[in-house]
Amino acid sequence: MSEVIKKAAELADAIAKSEELKNLRSAEQELLADPEAMELYNEFQRLQQMAQMAGTPEVMQQLEEAYKKFAENEKAKAFLEANQQFGAMLETINKMLQEAIEGPKQHGSCGSCGGCGV
């Protein structure tokens, strides 16, 4: 097995054991166990599908309102936050991989990467 594949397996294992994924799975279970949160989620999903098929202003407004109601639910709020944190971790990993493949990005007038995140 190549060194790269070994490191990828280590990364996969680290992601599987990460607090971010544990928190996401826990929040998802809490969401699934809450009938009110699931009703709000299902309505949001239904409207999201409608918006994809026919994104009329009325459907878009209904979708926005459904999301707000969903996000106000405590279980949903915890799920959305955990999902955002897990996504941020994956985005950071992807940026690191992209930079390793493409090389460091030069931006602005700094001339070298000082870790500004841009």
Side-chain angles (χ1 to χ4, degrees):
M1 183 182 292
S2 80
E3 186 64 23
V4 172
I5 299 299
K6 286 180 188 177
K7 294 291 185 186
E10 289 175 19
L11 175 59
D13 187 54
I15 292 170
K17 293 176 180 174
S18 71
E19 283 301 311
E20 291 86 350
L21 184 56
K22 288 177 188 175
N23 292 340
L24 178 58
R25 287 184 175 156
S26 175
E28 182 180 37
Q29 290 304 312
E30 296 265 335
L31 178 72
L32 292 170
D34 184 325
E36 180 186 338
M38 285 306 298
E39 184 177 323
L40 293 167
Y41 179 73
N42 290 333
E43 177 64 7
F44 172 69
Q45 289 279 298
R46 183 183 72 77
L47 289 167
Q48 198 171 36
Q49 289 176 351
M50 285 177 61
Q52 288 175 351
M53 293 187 318
T56 65
E58 297 88 22
V59 171
M60 298 307 288
Q61 179 65 32
Q62 290 174 348
L63 177 62
E64 185 177 320
E65 289 171 12
Y67 180 80
K68 285 180 183 176
K69 286 180 186 176
F70 176 66
E72 289 172 357
N73 179 281
E74 288 303 313
K75 304 292 184 189
K77 191 182 300 183
F79 172 75
L80 292 170
E81 185 176 312
N83 192 42
Q84 189 275 330
Q85 289 173 353
F86 182 71
M89 179 187 69
L90 292 181
E91 186 176 329
T92 299
I93 292 167
N94 284 332
K95 284 180 182 178
M96 293 171 77
L97 293 172
Q98 184 176 8
E99 189 169 296
I101 293 166
E102 297 175 358
K105 299 276 189 221
Q106 295 295 322
H107 47 265
S109 61
C110 63
S112 66
C113 184
C116 67
V118 177

